[in-house]
Amino acid sequence: MSNAAVPDRDLVHFVEVQGLTKPGVKARWQELAGGVSSDIWKVDLGDRTICVKRALPQLKVAAVWDAPVSRNAYEWAWMQFVSEHCPANVPAPIAQDVEAGLFAMAYLEPEDHPVWKQQLLAGEVDVGLAAAVGKVLGAIHAESAWRIDLAKRFDTIENFYALRLEPYLVATAARYPEVSAALLALVAQTAGTTHALVHGDVSPKNILAGPRGPVLLDAECAWYGDPAFDLAFCLNHLVLKAVVVPSRSAEFARSFMALMRSYLDQVGWEPAHEVQRRAAKLLPGLLLARIDGKSPVEYITDEQEKDRVRGFAVGLIKDPSQELSDICRRWF
């Protein structure tokens, strides 16, 4: 966290106009670190603490990565939907300014809501938490499946392409001619599948281990599309984090299977094996993307480890598996 930064006038004005401050009480602002796509602030209002988030037009990564700020409004809409159906699994939405690309939500104390990524990298691999993540994710997809109103509200394929498909799969295809056609076909398949409301960034860095279950954050990529993307995206992170905590490989493998099974148990909008088949094709593409795409994971730095991931991913892209359990067995 940074205490030195000062919020600009737009942020202060938002809090005042929304009536979130009390007369005579000076709001105390603290910038939160960790995000690459937004300004995020903790705001102490005296009687309560909130979090204010504003989307950035240029993401804070090494590669050039522009993204539409309209994603802030879709994240807000995603939070509203989830707060209706799974209120324990999302911060409570408080206020929004769609034109300024701003919203306020409840602030969750880190002492009670540790970040799942930090736990995993520290070797704290809770299989039960992984199962709970799969259950919540499946429930969100099940509640939103085949909803024409949501399909219209989250018709955001341009955002999703800019934030996910292009920087991950398209950019990686340009670096790997031998699997380029397969990766671009994966892009077309994913973009053309519209079954449920997708979060788009179900990563352990965006999941808090809350006292009432996992809390999902940062739905900037929200899109009415292929739910298999969310499943593959999260499982991908369990594979990658096992690389740097090899002593917990058995627990990572069990977490992979627990998350997958609890998710598939919720699938009723289409045959579960179809979701699994698409996720199994997506997973190796995402593995390769997190090594050589526009947003590589920062915690795998050893070239031998990177090559291990590359070889495994390229092999699966060339010869796809139909089952996630097969990928889990072969990796672990």
Side-chain angles (χ1 to χ4, degrees):
M1 294 184 185
S2 170
N3 292 302
V6 177
D8 62 45
R9 180 58 195 168
D10 288 343
L11 292 169
V12 175
H13 181 70
F14 166 72
V15 171
E16 293 174 347
V17 167
Q18 294 293 333
L20 302 178
T21 57
K22 285 189 173 182
V25 177
K26 181 177 176 59
R28 292 185 294 171
W29 293 73
Q30 184 179 57
E31 188 172 20
L32 302 180
V36 301
S37 61
S38 297
D39 286 328
I40 307 175
W41 295 80
K42 173 185 175 182
V43 190
D44 184 353
L45 300 172
D47 60 338
R48 62 171 172 165
T49 303
I50 65 171
C51 184
V52 174
K53 184 173 183 179
R54 175 174 59 185
L56 296 172
Q58 169 66 53
L59 274 61
K60 296 178 281 189
V61 294
V64 176
W65 188 351
D66 297 317
V69 295
S70 60
R71 65 188 188 274
N72 183 272
Y74 295 115
E75 179 178 8
W76 169 262
W78 182 92
M79 290 175 61
Q80 286 186 308
F81 175 81
V82 176
S83 68
E84 294 173 6
H85 300 281
C86 304
N89 305 113
V90 66
I94 296 172
Q96 180 204 27
D97 184 333
V98 65
E99 293 185 4
L102 285 165
F103 66 73
M105 59 184 169
Y107 176 78
L108 303 176
E109 292 291 346
E111 291 80 7
D112 302 320
H113 298 81
V115 179
W116 193 25
K117 175 182 178 178
Q118 295 173 358
Q119 291 184 321
L120 293 174
L121 290 178
E124 301 172 26
V125 187
D126 184 342
V127 178
L129 177 58
V133 170
K135 184 176 181 180
V136 170
L137 189 59
I140 294 169
H141 291 164
E143 289 288 350
S144 62
W146 305 117
R147 289 271 303 269
I148 295 175
D149 58 327
L150 293 177
K152 292 179 179 178
R153 190 178 185 186
F154 291 92
D155 182 13
T156 58
I157 186 57
E158 291 183 2
N159 279 12
F160 193 80
Y161 185 89
L163 290 164
R164 285 291 168 266
L165 298 180
E166 193 283 326
Y168 285 76
L169 300 177
V170 177
T172 304
R175 299 190 62 176
Y176 285 87
E178 68 270 35
V179 292
S180 176
L183 288 174
L184 294 178
L186 202 54
V187 170
Q189 173 187 279
T190 304
T193 304
T194 52
H195 292 171
L197 182 56
V198 174
H199 178 286
D201 198 5
V202 186
S203 163
K205 73 178 175 62
N206 294 329
I207 299 173
L208 307 179
R212 298 169 60 198
V215 178
L216 275 61
L217 310 174
D218 291 347
E220 294 186 351
C221 306
W223 163 62
Y224 201 86
D226 188 356
F229 186 91
D230 277 347
L231 176 60
F233 200 88
C234 196
L235 292 175
N236 180 43
H237 279 278
L238 295 179
V239 171
L240 291 170
K241 285 167 182 59
V243 173
V244 293
V245 196
S247 63
R248 305 291 284 173
S249 289
E251 289 80 3
F252 274 108
R254 290 201 293 272
S255 294
F256 184 110
M257 293 300 297
L259 194 155
M260 179 200 77
R261 286 169 176 156
S262 63
Y263 175 86
L264 293 176
D265 283 346
Q266 310 299 314
V267 177
W269 59 88
E270 63 177 312
H273 67 84
E274 288 295 330
V275 181
Q276 180 170 192
R277 178 185 60 80
R278 296 196 307 276
K281 290 182 69 176
L282 275 163
L283 200 154
L286 294 172
L287 269 173
L288 193 58
R290 296 318 299 265
I291 299 297
D292 292 314
K294 285 188 177 181
S295 181
V297 293
E298 83 289 352
Y299 49 83
I300 299 180
T301 57
D302 183 83
E303 283 302 319
Q304 287 187 332
E305 291 178 342
K306 289 183 180 181
D307 284 342
R308 179 188 171 208
V309 177
R310 289 172 178 132
F312 183 78
V314 169
L316 273 175
I317 295 168
K318 290 180 176 178
D319 183 19
S321 175
Q322 298 295 308
E323 295 187 3
L324 291 164
S325 58
D326 177 58
I327 296 176
C328 181
R329 176 186 58 79
R330 288 163 66 176
W331 175 259
F332 289 102

